[in-house]
Amino acid sequence: MKITIAFNLRTKMTQEHAELLAQEDVDRLKDALLSLKHKVTLVEVSGRPNDVVEKILNSEPDLIFNVAEGTVGSSREAFYPGLYEQLNIPFTGGNASLLHLNLDKQLAKTLVSAHGLAVPKGFLVTKANQPIPDDLRYPLMIKPNSEGSSKGITQDSIVENKEQCEKRIKLSLAEFPEGLVVEEYIPGKEISIPYLEAFPGKFLPSVEHTFNLKKLKAKYNIYDYEMKQATARAKMVGVECPATMTEKESKAVFQLAKKIFSFMNCPDVGRIDIRLHTDGTPYFIELNPLPSLHPVGSLMTAAKAKGLEYKDVIRLIIKSASKRYNIGVRPSARITDKNGEKTHRPTPRELGITTGRFDTGVHNAITDVKGVKVGHFTREEDNVEMPGVAGTTSIRTGVTAILPSAGNIFDNRLIAGGFVLNGVGEMLGLTQVMEWNLLETPILLTNTMSVGKVHSGVINYMSKKYPSLGQKTDVVIPVVGETDDSFLNDVRVGLNDSSHVQKAIENAKSGPVEQGSVGAGTGMITCDFAGGIGTSSRVVTIDDNVYTLGVLVLSNFGNMRNLTIDGRVVGRELDKSVGEDLRRKEKYGSIIVVVATDAPLLGSQLNRIAKRSALGLGRIGSYAATSSGEIMIAFSTANHVPRVQADPKKHNTLRFISDQHINPLYESCIECTEEAILNAIFSSHGMSGREGRYSPAINQEQVIELLNEGRRINASR
């Protein structure tokens, strides 16, 4: 995607320029966007509007990443979104009306108060001789009405009597003639609630700024201007994330934030600042639709607490903006870069092809389920000598490891289930999983002929990790799933062993998952196109609880003629453009589906969840041929069943969702499975193999063209 960063550069270290971005802030944002494979243009939008318009138009953006705070007037922040709207260019963040409203502090509080929510009692002052209402209780807080970054706020901003108040108003109006807010000071905590629209649950953890008043030589715990600058006072400010609150206080704070966002349309990103009174009442202070993206700011502090890196936050902002404007990443014509290395191929979602109605998780991967990690070991070797046979051959295979839990899965087993749609395939350990409804080992994926060696590799790994295995405790049966990669991989030498299992497990990590022809999917083929590993995730809300469900597939099935994307059988047309010599003709293939969720479920419910993934296969065009294996396993990270019972009563207590509320998980599982398979296909660059064979990459441009053609036909009807 072509993204223009619109910003105002801070050229002076003065209070007047405090809200503007330093060059290092701009460079940090640019580097993050480049790392996300976007084309980036920088446009400094200070100065004459005519020049700004020309620079923006010349950058020809698909999306403007707006971090422009403005430099002139009380509506300065609103100017730029209004300009983008007039130019009909998509942009991140709120529109002009939202930014104008929230830069006017008193106006925003009036709106919030009208909805019956608590705000500090106060009034707007625009003249030095304006009378001060007698019903206000001292101390009072006096601050500029249309400024951010705590500009104009010092310890002297709090006054304790009418004389001090009149004096402070006169001084502050001289510096900020647009007006001042005079309001009752709320004793208590300084709490921020960051918001990311594309993050599961939307709200990040609360952030509390704490103050050592003795060291600061201050009386009131307010976050003043000097504390936000690189000064000695700034080093005396503490940060706690999440904020220290009782359960009741936390609930009240987040309820206030949710109510405010329910009537203030703040897309993509935002931050609400709240004062939590010593009596437990939260008061709205302000909403910031342009929160700081600095690494030590509240937004990034809260994101880090949830395991998000800086670029993850930027990607989520772009994700929600792209969804709002229905735009996608433009496909790259290049398959390799100038060094001959493979470049990222856009997934269907990055191309604007969305699957289903639920939001995806942060990485749109099974690793969005907290604690789940995925690792690959890939073997792509040519000119491999075969023992005792003349000539050379090619290896296209590998191992993929799914670590289901960040904890000790051997001693604290997970609830699990499974389903077999058609059984010409194998998943070692699944019969025990379905009998006990427990998962106690990592899940390994590989090729058909390597199952035994990979099984041994998992045993070796677990024996070292858990020395009591088979000695003081019972034995385990590892879960190992397979599909057949022999069309591209010479299985006479292309087998995987214990060392490959160890490497795949060592490579396991959270975050983004490499997809396509990688790991166990290196030599796999889906609907006659290269690509074996795919993953996707969904976020669902059930009774105010936010849950994540993710799917990873080892996909190796299907015929091109049946390939269905976004409801259209595009395989009919693709089938005509791909030669018969590039296909495996004798075999239909198989698929392994791994489903993970943090929703609390029983084993019987996970059996049914696993079944629903078969419906996702049907959406792609699978008919589960008689020679194929469609095998599914599902697990939940919400409950743990200890191997050794500490309770002498021998009772386990499990939380689980009522069947009356489980349907969103069924639907999300279908969506995830469908998209994971498409991701496996779209992410592959194509794969050569033994005997000169080749499985092509899907032609993304042709797919887009076919889908658009179908939409035009439907629109005409």
Side-chain angles (χ1 to χ4, degrees):
M1 186 187 299
K2 293 175 66 177
I3 295 180
T4 291
I5 302 175
F7 63 97
N8 300 108
L9 193 63
R10 186 177 189 180
T11 56
K12 299 177 181 178
M13 296 304 292
T14 62
Q15 184 173 239
E16 183 183 1
H17 291 78
E19 295 174 284
L20 310 186
L21 269 64
Q23 187 62 54
E24 63 180 22
D25 298 319
V26 178
D27 292 340
R28 186 185 302 112
L29 178 55
K30 176 184 176 182
D31 291 343
L33 291 170
L34 290 174
S35 73
L36 295 170
K37 311 302 180 184
H38 298 294
K39 296 180 180 178
V40 184
T41 302
L42 304 182
V43 174
E44 216 283 357
V45 292
S46 304
R48 296 176 64 251
N50 289 351
D51 296 336
V52 171
V53 170
E54 184 178 0
K55 288 190 287 186
I56 289 173
L57 291 176
N58 287 342
S59 70
E60 298 182 342
D62 298 316
L63 178 73
I64 293 175
F65 198 108
N66 182 46
V67 285
E69 297 276 357
T71 57
V72 180
S74 59
S75 294
R76 57 189 180 277
E77 288 183 356
F79 171 75
Y80 298 103
L83 181 62
Y84 310 147
E85 286 179 327
Q86 293 302 311
L87 295 175
N88 198 28
I89 300 175
F91 58 95
T92 62
N95 61 19
S97 61
L98 178 73
L99 269 67
H100 174 81
L101 168 67
N102 285 283
L103 192 59
D104 188 327
K105 292 180 172 61
Q106 187 63 24
L107 182 60
K109 287 175 182 174
T110 301
L111 175 61
V112 171
S113 178
H115 282 78
L117 304 177
V119 301
K121 187 177 181 180
F123 71 110
L124 179 66
V125 175
T126 56
K127 297 179 182 178
N129 58 356
Q130 194 167 330
I132 301 169
D134 294 330
D135 60 346
L136 290 182
R137 291 181 299 178
Y138 290 89
L140 300 179
M141 177 81 170
I142 301 174
K143 56 188 176 182
N145 184 52
S146 301
E147 298 291 348
S149 301
S150 294
K151 290 164 64 175
I153 296 178
T154 69
Q155 282 289 315
D156 293 334
S157 297
I158 299 181
V159 296
E160 299 179 340
N161 54 56
K162 188 173 182 180
E163 183 181 355
Q164 289 180 5
C165 184
E166 291 174 343
K167 182 178 180 181
R168 185 66 188 177
I169 287 174
K170 185 176 181 181
L171 288 172
S172 296
L173 273 179
E175 188 175 3
F176 302 101
E178 294 88 357
L180 307 172
V181 173
V182 178
E183 62 188 17
E184 293 179 355
Y185 168 72
I186 305 298
K189 297 176 180 286
E190 185 93 11
I191 306 290
S192 292
I193 307 295
Y195 169 91
L196 270 177
E197 188 177 18
F199 184 77
K202 303 186 185 303
F203 290 100
L204 294 171
S206 57
V207 178
E208 176 186 357
H209 291 93
T210 61
F211 312 97
N212 187 323
L213 298 181
K214 186 175 182 179
K215 285 186 177 180
L216 287 166
K217 297 180 181 179
K219 186 175 181 179
Y220 298 100
N221 60 328
I222 58 171
Y223 203 10
D224 64 36
Y225 174 75
E226 284 190 17
M227 293 177 184
K228 292 188 177 182
Q229 308 305 309
T231 64
R233 287 172 62 83
K235 297 177 182 179
M236 299 180 191
V237 178
V239 179
E240 294 185 8
C241 183
T244 302
M245 295 184 284
T246 65
E247 184 177 348
K248 183 178 179 180
E249 288 173 338
S250 180
K251 185 176 181 180
V253 164
F254 277 96
Q255 280 182 341
L256 175 62
K258 288 177 182 178
K259 288 177 181 177
I260 291 168
F261 277 115
S262 71
F263 58 83
M264 282 197 190
N265 180 25
C266 184
D268 305 337
V269 64
R271 189 193 75 233
I272 288 181
D273 293 335
I274 291 170
R275 291 287 295 193
L276 180 60
H277 197 289
T278 50
D279 66 8
T281 304
Y283 286 79
F284 170 79
I285 300 300
E286 65 178 80
L287 183 151
N288 189 343
L290 276 177
S292 170
L293 299 178
H294 195 280
V296 299
S298 296
L299 174 65
M300 291 301 174
T301 297
K304 187 177 181 180
K306 297 298 290 186
L308 301 178
E309 298 179 2
Y310 180 89
K311 70 175 183 179
D312 294 326
V313 174
I314 303 307
R315 181 161 53 81
L316 287 173
I317 294 172
I318 293 170
K319 176 181 176 181
S320 54
S322 298
K323 181 179 180 181
R324 186 168 69 258
Y325 291 106
N326 194 29
I327 56 178
V329 177
R330 302 295 187 266
S332 173
R334 294 185 303 145
I335 290 182
T336 57
D337 64 15
K338 62 183 180 181
N339 298 316
E341 296 180 358
K342 292 178 180 178
T343 60
H344 169 78
R345 291 199 89 207
T347 63
R349 188 169 291 270
E350 290 170 331
L351 292 166
I353 305 169
T354 56
T355 300
R357 67 184 181 90
F358 290 107
D359 289 335
T360 68
V362 173
H363 302 289
N364 194 19
I366 194 172
T367 50
D368 287 323
V369 179
K370 188 175 181 180
V372 177
K373 297 181 179 181
V374 174
H376 300 301
F377 177 70
T378 301
R379 301 182 65 199
E380 189 175 340
E381 306 164 26
D382 291 313
N383 301 316
V384 178
E385 294 185 359
M386 297 178 291
V389 180
T392 60
T393 189
S394 297
I395 294 174
R396 299 290 187 269
T397 191
V399 178
T400 293
I402 300 105
L403 306 189
S405 173
N408 183 340
I409 192 173
F410 175 70
D411 290 323
N412 294 291
R413 299 165 292 183
L414 301 180
I415 306 298
F419 176 67
V420 179
L421 177 64
N422 201 64
V424 185
E426 184 58 76
M427 182 180 282
L428 280 179
L430 184 62
T431 51
Q432 176 178 289
V433 168
M434 295 181 68
E435 181 67 26
W436 281 357
N437 289 133
L438 295 175
L439 177 65
E440 56 187 6
T441 75
I443 299 170
L444 275 293
L445 306 177
T446 189
N447 70 41
T448 305
M449 302 283 280
S450 298
V451 169
K453 291 187 175 183
V454 170
H455 176 276
S456 297
V458 183
I459 293 293
N460 291 340
Y461 161 77
M462 295 199 66
S463 296
K464 293 177 182 177
K465 188 173 179 64
Y466 309 106
S468 63
L469 193 159
Q471 302 299 312
K472 296 180 180 179
T473 66
D474 52 356
V475 298
V476 293
I477 303 176
V479 177
V480 182
E482 59 76 30
T483 62
D484 178 11
D485 60 11
S486 61
F487 181 76
L488 296 175
N489 175 50
D490 195 324
V491 294
R492 293 174 294 178
V493 292
L495 301 181
N496 300 293
D497 59 29
S498 292
S499 66
H500 304 147
V501 172
Q502 184 68 34
K503 289 175 181 176
I505 292 175
E506 289 173 353
N507 291 336
K509 59 183 179 180
S510 55
V513 175
E514 190 176 358
Q515 302 179 86
S517 301
V518 64
T522 303
M524 304 301 176
I525 301 162
T526 304
C527 295
D528 295 316
F529 293 108
I533 294 292
T535 188
S536 185
S537 68
R538 294 293 184 274
V539 177
V540 300
T541 302
I542 300 175
D543 194 25
D544 288 335
N545 293 305
V546 179
Y547 300 115
T548 302
L549 184 144
V551 166
L552 184 140
V553 298
L554 176 59
S555 182
N556 189 42
F557 76 97
N559 304 126
M560 190 182 302
R561 63 177 179 271
N562 302 122
L563 177 59
T564 303
I565 301 176
D566 199 20
R568 173 159 185 176
V569 188
V570 297
R572 293 172 183 165
E573 286 79 9
L574 297 175
D575 194 57
K576 301 170 186 176
S577 59
V578 178
E580 291 292 326
D581 58 325
L582 298 179
R583 312 183 193 197
R584 56 181 180 192
K585 300 179 179 62
E586 298 81 13
K587 300 177 181 179
Y588 182 83
S590 302
I591 187 170
I592 298 292
V593 181
V594 180
V595 185
T597 183
D598 56 11
L601 298 170
L602 298 174
S604 58
Q605 294 174 314
L606 286 162
N607 290 340
R608 301 201 298 274
I609 291 283
K611 283 183 182 179
R612 268 58 184 188
S613 63
L615 297 176
L617 301 186
R619 286 186 177 183
I620 295 295
S622 169
Y623 56 88
T626 187
S627 61
S628 66
E630 288 81 18
I631 303 175
M632 297 83 177
I633 185 171
F635 63 88
S636 167
T637 62
N639 290 297
H640 291 82
V641 179
R643 182 175 294 275
V644 178
Q645 297 290 106
D647 184 354
K649 296 180 181 179
K650 300 295 189 294
H651 288 164
N652 286 320
T653 301
L654 301 177
R655 295 184 307 113
F656 62 96
I657 292 173
S658 165
D659 284 340
Q660 292 179 325
H661 300 285
I662 202 172
N663 283 339
L665 293 172
Y666 287 164
E667 190 176 354
S668 64
C669 181
I670 296 168
E671 289 185 11
C672 281
T673 306
E674 179 183 5
E675 185 165 2
I677 296 168
L678 292 177
N679 285 343
I681 302 171
F682 274 64
S683 297
S684 177
H685 293 79
M687 182 58 67
S688 61
R690 69 182 181 93
E691 298 180 4
R693 296 175 179 178
Y694 182 74
S695 286
I698 194 168
N699 187 325
Q700 296 180 340
E701 290 84 353
Q702 187 179 2
V703 169
I704 295 293
E705 189 176 310
L706 291 170
L707 292 177
N708 286 336
E709 181 182 282
R711 293 184 180 108
R712 285 194 296 270
I713 291 172
N714 290 333
S716 69
R717 289 178 178 175

